[in-house]
Amino acid sequence: MATAMKYICLFMFLAILSIAGLNQVDGAGECGKNTTPDMEAFKMAPCASAAQDENSSVSSQCCARVKKIGQNPACLCAVMLSNTAKSSGIKPEIAMTIPKRCNIADRPVGYKCGAYTLP
């Protein structure tokens, strides 16, 4: 009887696991289903100097990329705080100022990004 009960419990456990696995959603990250913040950070190369020095001018290519990514504030935040950005010497406190420095009117002012807030 104890052996039968063990098999029933094992079967129930496996059934619950398989149901949970079937209901799993293949969700997208902050930047969408087909990309990651690190992949998007590579596209931000024109912003490298502007994200390291607040006195550096911001190129039009940088502003175009920031405007596009900034349509999704969670993605913009994730890109600015990504491992790729950090390893490239990006200073998040300076990178957060780029949308304002680009004069992007519809930027996500006040959006909390980790310990930072977009101005």
Side-chain angles (χ1 to χ4, degrees):
M1 181 74 168
T3 304
M5 190 59 146
K6 285 181 185 177
Y7 284 116
I8 291 172
C9 287
L10 179 62
F11 175 75
M12 293 297 289
F13 179 71
L14 292 174
I16 290 170
L17 282 179
S18 66
I19 291 170
L22 291 175
N23 289 331
Q24 190 175 29
V25 176
D26 184 23
E30 295 93 344
C31 294
K33 190 171 186 175
N34 298 319
T35 190
T36 66
D38 285 308
M39 290 170 63
E40 291 299 311
F42 282 114
K43 298 175 186 175
M44 301 296 288
C47 298
S49 62
Q52 294 171 348
D53 178 8
E54 61 189 327
N55 296 315
S56 178
S57 63
V58 185
S59 70
S60 59
Q61 296 93 345
C62 172
C63 290
R65 291 298 311 151
V66 169
K67 184 170 181 145
K68 183 174 181 180
I69 292 176
Q71 293 172 350
N72 177 349
C75 178
L76 181 62
C77 178
V79 168
M80 291 182 178
L81 298 176
S82 69
N83 290 329
T84 299
K86 289 176 190 171
S87 66
S88 299
I90 300 304
K91 297 177 181 172
E93 65 276 10
I94 295 173
M96 299 296 162
T97 67
I98 292 176
K100 183 177 183 178
R101 290 162 56 201
C102 287
N103 293 317
I104 298 172
D106 58 345
R107 67 185 185 273
V109 176
Y111 187 83
K112 293 293 285 176
C113 187
Y116 309 97
T117 302
L118 289 167

